[in-house]
Amino acid sequence: MLYDSFYEEVGHKVYHTLLNSIKFLFGETIEYKVIYFLRTRKYWNNKKPKDLNEKSFWLVRYWRHPLIVKCADKYKVREYLYEKGCGDILNELYLVCEKGEQVEFDNLPPKFVLKCNHGSRMNIICEDKASFDKDDAIKQLNKWMNFQYGRGVEWQYKEIERKILVEKYLESADGKMIEYQIFCFNGKPTFFLVRNDLRKSKIDKENTEFAVSYTIDWKRVYMRKNEEQFDFELPKPHNYQKMIDYASRLSRDFPLVRVDYYEIDDRLVFGELTFTSHGAIQSNYKDKYIQSLGELLILPPKYND
């Protein structure tokens, strides 16, 4: 579901209606300044951005390269991975279609994943086809296919030709589902965010959900707010070096991108390329890291302004 409640959906519609009015009356840059202030309670210095949040906002406003649209597309990004010699880590794709009614459920395995390619939080996980509500899934998919994702700063999703993807259900023998996110600055893998809080995972007896930071050479660092509560170390992933090597290839064309992976029984599986992580505002990170990471990010000349 895109929204957790009816009230959240209404609130988002009112919010975006207001932003559209501001954009129409005063222009897109003013709209972005309003969004930035509402999310950070700070003024966006678009002329001389310094920290990571200011520079991330600068990129979504002033660096709109068409390659971002291709790689934000959960279908067309597969072609990009093959071009970069990384096609071996793609998840298995069963079907691509444009309507929920075109999903061939009878030909699918007992477990699978349905998703739309033009945004986030548009996934349906089937863990048991025998009890799966196909009619409800079709209805939800068609609703998403008619939904314009990419309001606000996530412009790239507006340009994507919408598709429905049916992929292999990912699961490991031990039940763990850990996501490895590598933030890359100017084509250089810079740090990891390792997490299991985006999908249920059996990381330990208490099934603790976590999101923890590691330097690129796998040293624990407490970059996020309240991260000290996760006082434990995680083993270096089996595909650690391959993660870094492939992240270097996949990020080479972009000033800022996040490369997401899963590791399933020692096999590396690609997740996605993310260009507007957390809506281009890293509100969960401590101020000192927002500052220091901003110093690392070198902005390119404007593109398609």
Side-chain angles (χ1 to χ4, degrees):
M1 297 293 290
L2 284 172
Y3 302 108
D4 295 326
S5 70
F6 168 77
Y7 298 102
E8 182 184 354
E9 182 175 0
V10 171
H12 273 74
K13 288 181 178 179
V14 171
Y15 172 74
H16 288 295
T17 298
L18 174 62
L19 291 179
N20 286 335
S21 298
I22 292 172
K23 180 179 179 180
F24 177 77
L25 293 172
F26 304 107
E28 192 171 22
T29 299
I30 298 300
E31 178 199 14
Y32 272 44
K33 286 181 178 289
V34 170
I35 295 173
Y36 191 88
F37 178 79
L38 291 174
R39 295 193 59 196
T40 68
R41 296 299 186 266
K42 295 180 180 179
Y43 168 78
W44 176 44
N45 186 350
N46 63 310
K47 299 296 184 182
K48 295 183 179 180
K50 294 181 179 180
D51 68 27
L52 179 59
N53 288 336
E54 287 185 335
K55 289 186 175 182
S56 296
F57 248 61
W58 189 96
L59 287 171
V60 295
R61 175 64 185 90
Y62 298 115
W63 202 80
R64 296 183 175 178
H65 198 288
L67 194 55
I68 289 180
V69 177
K70 177 178 181 177
C71 292
D73 183 330
K74 292 176 172 57
Y75 178 52
K76 289 187 177 180
V77 70
R78 299 174 66 89
E79 179 183 329
Y80 184 74
L81 262 73
Y82 279 115
E83 291 171 357
K84 296 297 182 180
C86 305
D88 61 300
I89 64 172
L90 286 167
N91 190 19
E92 185 175 353
L93 180 64
Y94 297 139
L95 178 70
V96 181
C97 59
E98 297 177 355
K99 296 180 180 180
E101 292 82 1
Q102 296 173 338
V103 177
E104 300 171 350
F105 289 101
D106 292 341
N107 296 329
L108 295 176
K111 297 181 180 182
F112 55 87
V113 176
L114 303 164
K115 63 174 65 174
C116 292
N117 67 326
H118 64 289
S120 62
R121 297 177 68 186
M122 293 191 287
N123 309 299
I124 301 174
I125 298 175
C126 173
E127 296 182 321
D128 178 18
K129 190 169 73 169
S131 60
F132 186 67
D133 191 332
K134 300 174 185 176
D135 292 335
D136 186 64
I138 290 171
K139 181 179 178 180
Q140 185 62 70
L141 288 170
N142 288 337
K143 182 178 179 180
W144 285 338
M145 288 293 284
N146 289 310
F147 179 77
Q148 177 60 72
Y149 202 89
R151 300 171 182 175
V153 303
E154 297 183 295
W155 62 272
Q156 65 273 25
Y157 296 117
K158 301 175 186 176
E159 309 297 326
I160 293 173
E161 182 182 356
R162 301 174 197 177
K163 302 286 184 183
I164 295 170
L165 312 182
V166 188
E167 294 182 344
K168 181 179 179 179
Y169 175 87
L170 296 177
E171 59 181 336
S172 59
D174 60 8
K176 296 178 182 179
M177 196 65 183
I178 300 177
E179 185 170 348
Y180 299 88
Q181 302 178 345
I182 302 182
F183 288 75
C184 303
F185 293 67
N186 304 110
K188 181 179 179 181
T190 304
F191 70 93
F192 283 89
L193 177 61
V194 186
R195 63 195 314 169
N196 74 339
D197 59 339
L198 301 180
R199 178 175 164 184
K200 290 182 179 179
S201 172
K202 300 174 183 176
I203 186 63
D204 58 22
K205 293 180 180 179
E206 290 76 32
N207 196 26
T208 302
E209 293 186 346
F210 62 82
V212 297
S213 307
Y214 277 83
T215 62
I216 203 63
D217 54 353
W218 205 255
K219 294 179 181 178
R220 185 70 194 276
V221 58
Y222 298 87
M223 301 175 67
R224 290 162 60 92
K225 298 172 183 176
N226 302 317
E227 193 173 329
E228 286 77 9
Q229 66 180 303
F230 305 119
D231 190 20
F232 53 80
E233 292 286 339
L234 295 172
K236 184 183 292 186
H238 178 78
N239 290 281
Y240 164 77
Q241 192 57 53
K242 188 174 184 178
M243 289 180 182
I244 295 175
D245 292 344
Y246 276 28
S248 296
R249 298 186 199 179
L250 296 172
S251 65
R252 193 170 298 149
D253 297 319
F254 308 105
L256 178 64
V257 66
R258 198 187 76 208
V259 183
D260 298 349
Y261 304 106
Y262 298 98
E263 194 169 65
I264 308 297
D265 298 330
D266 292 340
R267 180 188 170 230
L268 186 62
V269 181
F270 174 75
E272 63 180 350
L273 296 182
T274 302
F275 297 93
T276 46
S277 180
H278 208 261
I281 295 290
Q282 303 306 316
S283 57
N284 290 326
Y285 284 78
K286 298 173 183 176
D287 287 343
K288 68 176 182 178
Y289 291 107
I290 296 298
Q291 295 293 331
S292 61
L293 291 171
E295 294 172 3
L296 293 178
L297 178 58
I298 300 173
L299 294 177
K302 292 181 180 181
Y303 189 98
N304 197 26
D305 178 21

